[in-house]
Structure formats: C-alpha cells, structure tokens
Amino acid sequence: MNQLSSSFRELLNLLFTNITRISIPTILGQLVKVLCVCFVIWFSLSHYREPVNELARTSLTLLTFSGTIICMYYSFSKIFSEDLLRGAWAALCGLAVLVAIKSFVGNTIDELIRHPEILAAMSAVCVASFIIQRVCANISKGFETSKEVAYGIPATRIVKHPTRQDRVVTAAHEAGHALICAALNPYPINIQVEAKYFRDETNSLGSVSMEWEHLLVDKTFAEWDMLRFLAGSVGERSFTGRESLGAAGDTFQWRTIATAYLSCMSRGIFFQNPENRLELEHNEQMLMDLYSEQIALLETFFEINAHVHRNLTENLLEKRLMTGRELYVYFDEVQFPESFPRCTMP
C-alpha cells in the first residue's frame, strides 16, 4: 500500500508540479503513442467477429484469460517497483496486443480450419520473414558507425526492476559522464544521455553516447576521455555520498586508454610488454599515480560544479532521456579547474 501511495504521489508530481520542465515535443510524442494504442484497441474491437467453430471459441476464451493474466502481471510488477506510469503503459499496450490478436484470430480461424493449407502457407511466410529479419539484423551490426558509450549499472546486486534509489544513482552517474562533455568545443551535436527505468538487452540502467568521426586521438583528447570514464563514479559520490559497483566497465575502459596513453611515454618509461615483477610493479604504480591524479581533478571539478550536477541529475531523473540542446544549458554553466583538459573538435 505504501508503494502504491508513493507511486501515486510520483505520478501527480510528474503531471502537475514538474509539467513545465518537460518539453512540448516529449509530451506530444507520448500523447501520439497513447492515441495510436487506443486506436488499435478501438479498431480491433469494432471489427471483432465471434468464430462459429466451438473449439475456436474455447481457444479464444483461453487466450483472453491467459492474456489478461500476463498483462496484469507485468503492469502490477511495474507498479510495485514504484513505476506507476510504466505499469499503466504496460497494461495499455498489453491490452492492445491482446485485443488485436483476438480480433485477427476471430475473423480468420473459421476459414483456416476449413482450409488448413492456408495456415501452413502463412506459417511458412512467418518463419521465412523471421529468418530474413535475423540475417539482416546481424549483418547490419557490422556497418554501424563508430560510437563511444559510457554505461552505468549502479546497483550492488541484480534486481529485476530498479528502485527509486537505483534511478537516483543512475541519474547522478550519467550526469557525471555528461558534464565532462562541456570541455569539448564545439559541444557534441549527437550527444544523448539516458537514465532508464528498466533493464534492456545491454543490462545497463543508463548510458551516455555520442559518435566520433576520427579513429586516432591526440594526447589532450585522451586525457579528457579518461576523465569522462571516471566521472560517473565521482559524480555518484558527489551527489549521493556513496559509490555503487556500476563503474566496473568504465574503469576497464579507463585502463585501456591509460595503458595506451602511458605507452607513448607521456609520463616517462612505461613497459609495453613487462618481462618481470619489477616492470609490472612499475607499470601498476604509474597507472595508480595517473588514476589518483585524475580522481583528485574530478573531485575538484564536481565540487565547483555541484549545483550544475545536481540540477542536471534531477532533470535527467524526470525526463529519463536528454539530448543535444537540452544539455547545452548545463554545459554553459560549467567551470573548469585550471589543469582540466579542454578539447577543440575539428
């Protein structure tokens, strides 16, 4: 009951208190989606025809029962995970799919029973279409444009539905990554920051993504890029006072760039292929020195930009997805420590 009350208050807060902070295109886009789903429900119901065959009618009754149970399960699972809006949306979409399938089956099943060869032909077409779709999807992955993505999975244990605390940590984490992009000149046009309300195929709760045109980077850009990967965890700690285990992937990416950076003798001797324990310890010490130096720089950065980071985190928590010019307003307010790398993008 407390979770339902909390979700209801969150819904009222989103619809009324913060409505002015949600962009008009976002509101219109969501409204169009709802109207489309409602149209599917109306069209399916208005064209439904009860089948003559007794077995077909029984099958549709079972379909209605099982479909309703599935819709209720997923909608209530969202509601009890403090996500009332997504629960309502899941119920509406599930109802639309159920009604559409029931209407299609009701209008065609009598004919299919009389002519089973039609069913066989339709099944063959569906299987062939699925195979074509999977082949095209797998091939297209090889032609995607180069994209850098900083993922955050700010949770210390695996949960099916992120809680309010998970979403707050996610927003702080991704806002931390995003603010570092204020050091780019000009600002990246295609930047996108997302704090998700559910896990997807990436198994992440958030991301910051943008595309690079060049494969080779200079020394200053490498220094900035390393800071970008570390900024998520420092942003978490700055906003919440705690740090999750979601930065493991970011730390791995940082170590990859740092190894290449130090291998170019940027800070002195670094052994690309260490052959003994002394060389290994030397490399590890150089990595830790660089890591400590950049963490200290980021802590200074978030200290002088605490209000910007807080405002961006709160707005991202509400909107879930922010792009381009929505972020530039915050980038303009960012102040940089003296030694912070600034990059001019060609």
Side-chain angles (χ1 to χ4, degrees):
M1 184 61 69
N2 290 335
Q3 288 178 326
L4 285 173
S5 300
S6 175
S7 297
F8 184 69
R9 286 195 299 270
E10 183 180 341
L11 174 63
L12 293 179
N13 183 59
L14 176 62
L15 292 178
F16 299 105
T17 307
N18 299 311
I19 192 67
T20 57
R21 300 182 68 177
I22 303 176
S23 64
I24 296 299
T26 300
I27 296 175
L28 292 178
Q30 297 299 324
L31 181 60
V32 169
K33 290 181 181 179
V34 172
L35 291 177
C36 289
V37 173
C38 291
F39 174 78
V40 170
I41 295 175
W42 168 82
F43 184 85
S44 300
L45 289 175
S46 62
H47 289 78
Y48 173 72
R49 186 180 65 187
E50 189 75 15
V52 177
N53 186 277
E54 181 65 28
L55 178 60
R57 288 200 299 269
T58 303
S59 300
L60 282 182
T61 301
L62 293 176
L63 172 64
T64 303
F65 177 76
S66 61
T68 303
I69 294 297
I70 293 172
C71 290
M72 291 177 62
Y73 170 77
Y74 282 102
S75 61
F76 278 103
S77 66
K78 292 296 182 183
I79 291 173
F80 284 105
S81 65
E82 303 180 9
D83 196 350
L84 181 60
L85 287 177
R86 187 162 293 279
W89 178 243
L92 186 63
C93 291
L95 177 62
V97 173
L98 172 61
V99 172
I101 292 176
K102 185 176 179 180
S103 179
F104 175 79
V105 173
N107 282 277
T108 60
I109 194 167
D110 286 328
E111 190 68 20
L112 293 176
I113 291 175
R114 287 194 297 269
H115 302 283
E117 66 276 7
I118 299 178
L119 178 60
M122 291 178 61
S123 300
V125 169
C126 291
V127 171
S129 299
F130 176 77
I131 294 174
I132 293 172
Q133 187 273 330
R134 295 312 305 166
V135 170
C136 292
N138 290 332
I139 293 176
S140 66
K141 291 180 180 179
F143 296 93
E144 292 179 352
T145 55
S146 177
K147 180 177 291 187
E148 289 281 352
V149 182
Y151 286 105
I153 314 177
T156 57
R157 57 190 176 88
I158 298 176
V159 293
K160 187 173 183 180
H161 303 291
T163 63
R164 169 76 180 182
Q165 175 179 306
D166 294 332
R167 297 197 296 267
V168 170
V169 174
T170 299
H173 184 104
E174 304 309 334
H177 284 305
L179 279 188
I180 303 303
C181 297
L184 299 178
N185 181 29
Y187 298 149
I189 298 176
N190 50 16
I191 184 172
Q192 175 175 295
V193 184
E194 184 176 13
K196 306 172 186 176
Y197 268 33
F198 59 96
R199 289 185 184 273
D200 56 16
E201 65 278 1
T202 67
N203 199 36
S204 72
L205 292 179
S207 65
V208 177
S209 61
M210 65 192 79
E211 296 179 358
W212 310 122
E213 294 182 358
H214 306 287
L215 297 178
L216 297 176
V217 297
D218 60 21
K219 175 176 175 290
T220 302
F221 185 87
E223 293 171 349
W224 170 86
D225 209 17
M226 287 187 287
L227 290 170
R228 180 173 66 97
F229 280 110
L230 296 179
S233 58
V234 181
E236 280 183 40
R237 190 165 60 248
S238 173
F239 187 81
T240 67
R242 296 176 295 177
E243 186 175 341
S244 75
L245 300 184
D250 294 332
T251 305
F252 176 81
Q253 296 284 355
W254 176 87
R255 188 182 180 96
T256 300
I257 300 172
T259 300
Y261 174 80
L262 293 174
S263 295
C264 294
M265 302 297 184
S266 300
R267 300 292 181 94
I269 298 296
F270 187 86
F271 300 97
Q272 294 190 30
N273 298 297
E275 297 179 352
N276 53 57
R277 192 178 70 177
L278 289 178
E279 293 180 355
L280 281 171
E281 290 177 351
H282 173 80
N283 284 2
E284 288 299 320
Q285 186 60 50
M286 291 195 69
L287 285 168
M288 289 307 301
D289 289 345
L290 178 60
Y291 178 83
S292 299
E293 176 187 316
Q294 292 202 317
I295 290 293
L297 182 59
L298 285 170
E299 288 175 345
T300 302
F301 173 85
F302 282 102
E303 181 179 350
I304 63 179
N305 294 289
H307 65 291
V308 184
H309 181 242
R310 181 180 63 253
N311 292 338
L312 177 56
T313 298
E314 293 172 350
N315 205 3
L316 180 60
L317 188 61
E318 294 175 6
K319 292 186 174 182
R320 309 185 191 183
L321 178 67
M322 298 179 68
T323 60
R325 297 187 182 279
E326 293 178 295
L327 298 167
Y328 298 166
V329 177
Y330 300 95
F331 291 176
D332 289 340
E333 299 180 29
V334 171
Q335 301 178 37
F336 295 96
E338 184 176 349
S339 56
F340 203 94
R342 309 289 295 274
C343 301
T344 300
M345 306 298 290

Short mmCIF file of all heavy atoms in Angstrom, two decimals, residues 273-309:
data_model
loop_
_atom_site.label_atom_id
_atom_site.label_comp_id
_atom_site.label_asym_id
_atom_site.label_seq_id
_atom_site.Cartn_x
_atom_site.Cartn_y
_atom_site.Cartn_z
N ASN A 273 55.49 -4.38 -22.78
CA ASN A 273 55.48 -5.83 -22.55
C ASN A 273 56.38 -6.15 -21.36
O ASN A 273 57.53 -6.59 -21.54
CB ASN A 273 55.95 -6.58 -23.80
CG ASN A 273 55.06 -6.34 -24.99
OD1 ASN A 273 53.89 -6.69 -24.98
ND2 ASN A 273 55.62 -5.73 -26.03
N PRO A 274 55.88 -5.91 -20.14
CA PRO A 274 56.73 -6.15 -18.95
C PRO A 274 57.15 -7.60 -18.86
O PRO A 274 56.36 -8.52 -19.08
CB PRO A 274 55.81 -5.75 -17.79
CG PRO A 274 54.42 -5.83 -18.34
CD PRO A 274 54.54 -5.46 -19.78
N GLU A 275 58.43 -7.80 -18.51
CA GLU A 275 59.00 -9.15 -18.52
C GLU A 275 59.30 -9.69 -17.13
O GLU A 275 59.66 -10.86 -16.99
CB GLU A 275 60.29 -9.16 -19.36
CG GLU A 275 60.05 -8.80 -20.82
CD GLU A 275 61.34 -8.80 -21.63
OE1 GLU A 275 62.42 -8.92 -21.01
OE2 GLU A 275 61.26 -8.68 -22.87
N ASN A 276 59.18 -8.86 -16.10
CA ASN A 276 59.44 -9.35 -14.75
C ASN A 276 58.58 -8.57 -13.76
O ASN A 276 57.84 -7.65 -14.14
CB ASN A 276 60.92 -9.22 -14.40
CG ASN A 276 61.45 -7.80 -14.63
OD1 ASN A 276 60.92 -6.84 -14.07
ND2 ASN A 276 62.47 -7.68 -15.49
N ARG A 277 58.68 -8.96 -12.49
CA ARG A 277 57.81 -8.36 -11.49
C ARG A 277 58.12 -6.88 -11.29
O ARG A 277 57.21 -6.07 -11.06
CB ARG A 277 57.98 -9.10 -10.16
CG ARG A 277 56.92 -8.72 -9.13
CD ARG A 277 57.08 -9.49 -7.86
NE ARG A 277 58.28 -9.07 -7.13
CZ ARG A 277 58.63 -9.54 -5.94
NH1 ARG A 277 57.89 -10.49 -5.37
NH2 ARG A 277 59.72 -9.12 -5.34
N LEU A 278 59.37 -6.48 -11.37
CA LEU A 278 59.73 -5.08 -11.20
C LEU A 278 59.08 -4.21 -12.27
O LEU A 278 58.57 -3.11 -11.97
CB LEU A 278 61.25 -4.92 -11.23
CG LEU A 278 62.02 -5.46 -10.01
CD1 LEU A 278 63.52 -5.28 -10.20
CD2 LEU A 278 61.55 -4.76 -8.73
N GLU A 279 59.11 -4.69 -13.50
CA GLU A 279 58.48 -3.93 -14.58
C GLU A 279 56.96 -3.88 -14.41
O GLU A 279 56.33 -2.85 -14.67
CB GLU A 279 58.85 -4.53 -15.93
CG GLU A 279 60.33 -4.38 -16.26
CD GLU A 279 60.69 -4.99 -17.61
OE1 GLU A 279 59.80 -5.61 -18.24
OE2 GLU A 279 61.86 -4.84 -18.04
N LEU A 280 56.37 -4.98 -13.97
CA LEU A 280 54.92 -4.99 -13.71
C LEU A 280 54.57 -4.01 -12.61
O LEU A 280 53.60 -3.24 -12.73
CB LEU A 280 54.47 -6.40 -13.32
CG LEU A 280 54.29 -7.41 -14.45
CD1 LEU A 280 54.07 -8.82 -13.88
CD2 LEU A 280 53.09 -7.02 -15.33
N GLU A 281 55.33 -4.02 -11.52
CA GLU A 281 55.05 -3.11 -10.41
C GLU A 281 55.25 -1.67 -10.82
O GLU A 281 54.51 -0.78 -10.38
CB GLU A 281 55.96 -3.46 -9.22
CG GLU A 281 55.60 -4.80 -8.57
CD GLU A 281 56.56 -5.16 -7.45
OE1 GLU A 281 57.58 -4.46 -7.31
OE2 GLU A 281 56.27 -6.13 -6.72
N HIS A 282 56.26 -1.43 -11.66
CA HIS A 282 56.49 -0.07 -12.16
C HIS A 282 55.28 0.42 -12.96
O HIS A 282 54.80 1.56 -12.77
CB HIS A 282 57.74 -0.04 -13.04
CG HIS A 282 57.97 1.25 -13.74
ND1 HIS A 282 58.54 2.35 -13.13
CD2 HIS A 282 57.66 1.66 -15.02
CE1 HIS A 282 58.60 3.36 -13.98
NE2 HIS A 282 58.07 2.96 -15.13
N ASN A 283 54.76 -0.43 -13.86
CA ASN A 283 53.60 -0.06 -14.66
C ASN A 283 52.37 0.18 -13.79
O ASN A 283 51.62 1.15 -13.99
CB ASN A 283 53.28 -1.16 -15.68
CG ASN A 283 54.23 -1.14 -16.86
OD1 ASN A 283 55.16 -0.33 -16.91
ND2 ASN A 283 54.03 -2.05 -17.81
N GLU A 284 52.15 -0.71 -12.82
CA GLU A 284 51.00 -0.56 -11.94
C GLU A 284 51.09 0.74 -11.15
O GLU A 284 50.08 1.43 -10.93
CB GLU A 284 50.88 -1.75 -11.00
CG GLU A 284 50.43 -3.04 -11.67
CD GLU A 284 49.04 -2.90 -12.29
OE1 GLU A 284 48.16 -2.27 -11.67
OE2 GLU A 284 48.85 -3.41 -13.41
N GLN A 285 52.28 1.09 -10.70
CA GLN A 285 52.44 2.33 -9.95
C GLN A 285 52.15 3.55 -10.81
O GLN A 285 51.53 4.51 -10.36
CB GLN A 285 53.87 2.42 -9.39
CG GLN A 285 54.10 3.60 -8.46
CD GLN A 285 53.19 3.55 -7.25
OE1 GLN A 285 53.10 2.54 -6.57
NE2 GLN A 285 52.49 4.65 -6.99
N MET A 286 52.59 3.51 -12.08
CA MET A 286 52.31 4.64 -12.98
C MET A 286 50.80 4.75 -13.24
O MET A 286 50.25 5.86 -13.29
CB MET A 286 53.06 4.46 -14.29
CG MET A 286 54.57 4.59 -14.17
SD MET A 286 55.38 4.80 -15.77
CE MET A 286 54.83 6.43 -16.24
N LEU A 287 50.13 3.61 -13.41
CA LEU A 287 48.68 3.63 -13.61
C LEU A 287 47.97 4.19 -12.38
O LEU A 287 47.05 5.00 -12.50
CB LEU A 287 48.17 2.22 -13.92
CG LEU A 287 48.45 1.69 -15.33
CD1 LEU A 287 48.15 0.19 -15.41
CD2 LEU A 287 47.59 2.44 -16.36
N MET A 288 48.39 3.76 -11.19
CA MET A 288 47.74 4.24 -9.96
C MET A 288 48.01 5.72 -9.74
O MET A 288 47.13 6.45 -9.26
CB MET A 288 48.22 3.43 -8.77
CG MET A 288 47.70 2.00 -8.73
SD MET A 288 45.88 1.92 -8.86
CE MET A 288 45.38 2.90 -7.43
N ASP A 289 49.21 6.19 -10.08
CA ASP A 289 49.51 7.62 -9.94
C ASP A 289 48.61 8.44 -10.86
O ASP A 289 48.07 9.49 -10.45
CB ASP A 289 50.98 7.88 -10.27
CG ASP A 289 51.92 7.36 -9.20
OD1 ASP A 289 51.44 7.04 -8.10
OD2 ASP A 289 53.14 7.23 -9.49
N LEU A 290 48.46 7.97 -12.09
CA LEU A 290 47.59 8.67 -13.04
C LEU A 290 46.14 8.63 -12.57
O LEU A 290 45.43 9.64 -12.65
CB LEU A 290 47.72 8.04 -14.43
CG LEU A 290 46.83 8.62 -15.54
CD1 LEU A 290 47.13 10.10 -15.76
CD2 LEU A 290 47.02 7.83 -16.85
N TYR A 291 45.72 7.46 -12.09
CA TYR A 291 44.34 7.32 -11.59
C TYR A 291 44.08 8.27 -10.43
O TYR A 291 43.07 8.98 -10.40
CB TYR A 291 44.12 5.87 -11.16
CG TYR A 291 42.76 5.59 -10.58
CD1 TYR A 291 41.66 5.34 -11.42
CD2 TYR A 291 42.56 5.57 -9.21
CE1 TYR A 291 40.41 5.08 -10.89
CE2 TYR A 291 41.31 5.30 -8.67
CZ TYR A 291 40.25 5.07 -9.51
OH TYR A 291 39.00 4.82 -8.98
N SER A 292 44.97 8.30 -9.46
CA SER A 292 44.79 9.17 -8.29
C SER A 292 44.77 10.64 -8.69
O SER A 292 43.99 11.44 -8.16
CB SER A 292 45.92 8.92 -7.27
OG SER A 292 45.90 7.57 -6.83
N GLU A 293 45.63 10.99 -9.63
CA GLU A 293 45.69 12.38 -10.10
C GLU A 293 44.37 12.79 -10.77
O GLU A 293 43.85 13.89 -10.52
CB GLU A 293 46.84 12.52 -11.09
CG GLU A 293 46.95 13.89 -11.74
CD GLU A 293 48.01 13.92 -12.83
OE1 GLU A 293 49.11 13.37 -12.59
OE2 GLU A 293 47.74 14.47 -13.91
N GLN A 294 43.81 11.90 -11.59
CA GLN A 294 42.58 12.25 -12.29
C GLN A 294 41.37 12.24 -11.35
O GLN A 294 40.46 13.05 -11.51
CB GLN A 294 42.37 11.29 -13.46
CG GLN A 294 43.40 11.47 -14.57
CD GLN A 294 42.92 10.95 -15.90
OE1 GLN A 294 42.33 9.88 -16.00
NE2 GLN A 294 43.17 11.72 -16.96
N ILE A 295 41.35 11.33 -10.39
CA ILE A 295 40.27 11.33 -9.40
C ILE A 295 40.27 12.63 -8.61
O ILE A 295 39.22 13.23 -8.36
CB ILE A 295 40.38 10.12 -8.45
CG1 ILE A 295 40.05 8.83 -9.21
CG2 ILE A 295 39.46 10.28 -7.25
CD1 ILE A 295 38.62 8.70 -9.65
N ALA A 296 41.44 13.09 -8.19
CA ALA A 296 41.55 14.35 -7.45
C ALA A 296 41.06 15.52 -8.30
O ALA A 296 40.37 16.42 -7.81
CB ALA A 296 43.00 14.57 -7.01
N LEU A 297 41.41 15.52 -9.60
CA LEU A 297 40.95 16.58 -10.50
C LEU A 297 39.44 16.56 -10.64
O LEU A 297 38.78 17.62 -10.64
CB LEU A 297 41.63 16.41 -11.86
CG LEU A 297 41.31 17.46 -12.93
CD1 LEU A 297 41.69 18.86 -12.45
CD2 LEU A 297 42.01 17.12 -14.24
N LEU A 298 38.86 15.36 -10.75
CA LEU A 298 37.39 15.25 -10.88
C LEU A 298 36.69 15.67 -9.59
O LEU A 298 35.61 16.27 -9.64
CB LEU A 298 37.02 13.82 -11.26
CG LEU A 298 37.29 13.42 -12.71
CD1 LEU A 298 37.11 11.92 -12.90
CD2 LEU A 298 36.36 14.19 -13.66
N GLU A 299 37.25 15.35 -8.45
CA GLU A 299 36.64 15.77 -7.19
C GLU A 299 36.60 17.29 -7.10
O GLU A 299 35.61 17.86 -6.63
CB GLU A 299 37.41 15.16 -6.02
CG GLU A 299 37.18 13.67 -5.86
CD GLU A 299 38.04 13.05 -4.78
OE1 GLU A 299 39.02 13.72 -4.34
OE2 GLU A 299 37.75 11.91 -4.37
N THR A 300 37.65 17.94 -7.56
CA THR A 300 37.65 19.41 -7.61
C THR A 300 36.60 19.91 -8.60
O THR A 300 35.87 20.88 -8.32
CB THR A 300 39.04 19.93 -8.02
OG1 THR A 300 40.01 19.46 -7.10
CG2 THR A 300 39.06 21.45 -8.04
N PHE A 301 36.51 19.26 -9.75
CA PHE A 301 35.53 19.63 -10.78
C PHE A 301 34.11 19.56 -10.24
O PHE A 301 33.32 20.51 -10.42
CB PHE A 301 35.70 18.71 -11.99
CG PHE A 301 34.65 18.88 -13.05
CD1 PHE A 301 34.78 19.85 -14.03
CD2 PHE A 301 33.52 18.07 -13.07
CE1 PHE A 301 33.81 20.01 -15.02
CE2 PHE A 301 32.55 18.22 -14.04
CZ PHE A 301 32.69 19.19 -15.02
N PHE A 302 33.75 18.47 -9.58
CA PHE A 302 32.39 18.32 -9.08
C PHE A 302 32.12 19.19 -7.85
O PHE A 302 30.97 19.54 -7.58
CB PHE A 302 32.10 16.85 -8.77
CG PHE A 302 31.80 16.04 -9.99
CD1 PHE A 302 32.77 15.20 -10.55
CD2 PHE A 302 30.57 16.12 -10.62
CE1 PHE A 302 32.49 14.45 -11.69
CE2 PHE A 302 30.29 15.39 -11.77
CZ PHE A 302 31.25 14.56 -12.30
N GLU A 303 33.17 19.56 -7.15
CA GLU A 303 32.99 20.46 -6.02
C GLU A 303 32.60 21.85 -6.49
O GLU A 303 31.69 22.47 -5.93
CB GLU A 303 34.29 20.52 -5.20
CG GLU A 303 34.18 21.43 -3.98
CD GLU A 303 35.47 21.45 -3.17
OE1 GLU A 303 36.37 20.63 -3.45
OE2 GLU A 303 35.58 22.30 -2.26
N ILE A 304 33.24 22.35 -7.54
CA ILE A 304 32.92 23.70 -8.01
C ILE A 304 31.69 23.71 -8.93
O ILE A 304 31.14 24.77 -9.20
CB ILE A 304 34.12 24.34 -8.75
CG1 ILE A 304 34.47 23.54 -10.00
CG2 ILE A 304 35.30 24.45 -7.82
CD1 ILE A 304 35.64 24.13 -10.79
N ASN A 305 31.25 22.54 -9.38
CA ASN A 305 30.06 22.45 -10.25
C ASN A 305 28.95 21.63 -9.60
O ASN A 305 28.12 21.03 -10.30
CB ASN A 305 30.44 21.82 -11.60
CG ASN A 305 31.37 22.69 -12.41
OD1 ASN A 305 30.98 23.73 -12.92
ND2 ASN A 305 32.63 22.26 -12.51
N ALA A 306 28.92 21.62 -8.27
CA ALA A 306 27.94 20.80 -7.55
C ALA A 306 26.52 21.17 -7.91
O ALA A 306 25.65 20.30 -8.11
CB ALA A 306 28.17 20.92 -6.04
N HIS A 307 26.23 22.47 -8.03
CA HIS A 307 24.85 22.90 -8.32
C HIS A 307 24.45 22.51 -9.75
O HIS A 307 23.29 22.14 -9.99
CB HIS A 307 24.72 24.40 -8.13
CG HIS A 307 25.53 25.22 -9.10
ND1 HIS A 307 26.93 25.27 -9.07
CD2 HIS A 307 25.15 26.02 -10.14
CE1 HIS A 307 27.35 26.05 -10.03
NE2 HIS A 307 26.31 26.52 -10.70
N VAL A 308 25.39 22.58 -10.69
CA VAL A 308 25.08 22.19 -12.08
C VAL A 308 24.80 20.69 -12.14
O VAL A 308 23.83 20.25 -12.78
CB VAL A 308 26.24 22.57 -13.03
CG1 VAL A 308 25.86 22.26 -14.47
CG2 VAL A 308 26.61 24.03 -12.88
N HIS A 309 25.65 19.92 -11.49
CA HIS A 309 25.47 18.47 -11.48
C HIS A 309 24.16 18.07 -10.80
O HIS A 309 23.45 17.18 -11.27
CB HIS A 309 26.66 17.81 -10.78
CG HIS A 309 26.59 16.32 -10.75
ND1 HIS A 309 26.52 15.60 -9.58
CD2 HIS A 309 26.56 15.40 -11.76
CE1 HIS A 309 26.46 14.31 -9.85
NE2 HIS A 309 26.48 14.16 -11.16
#
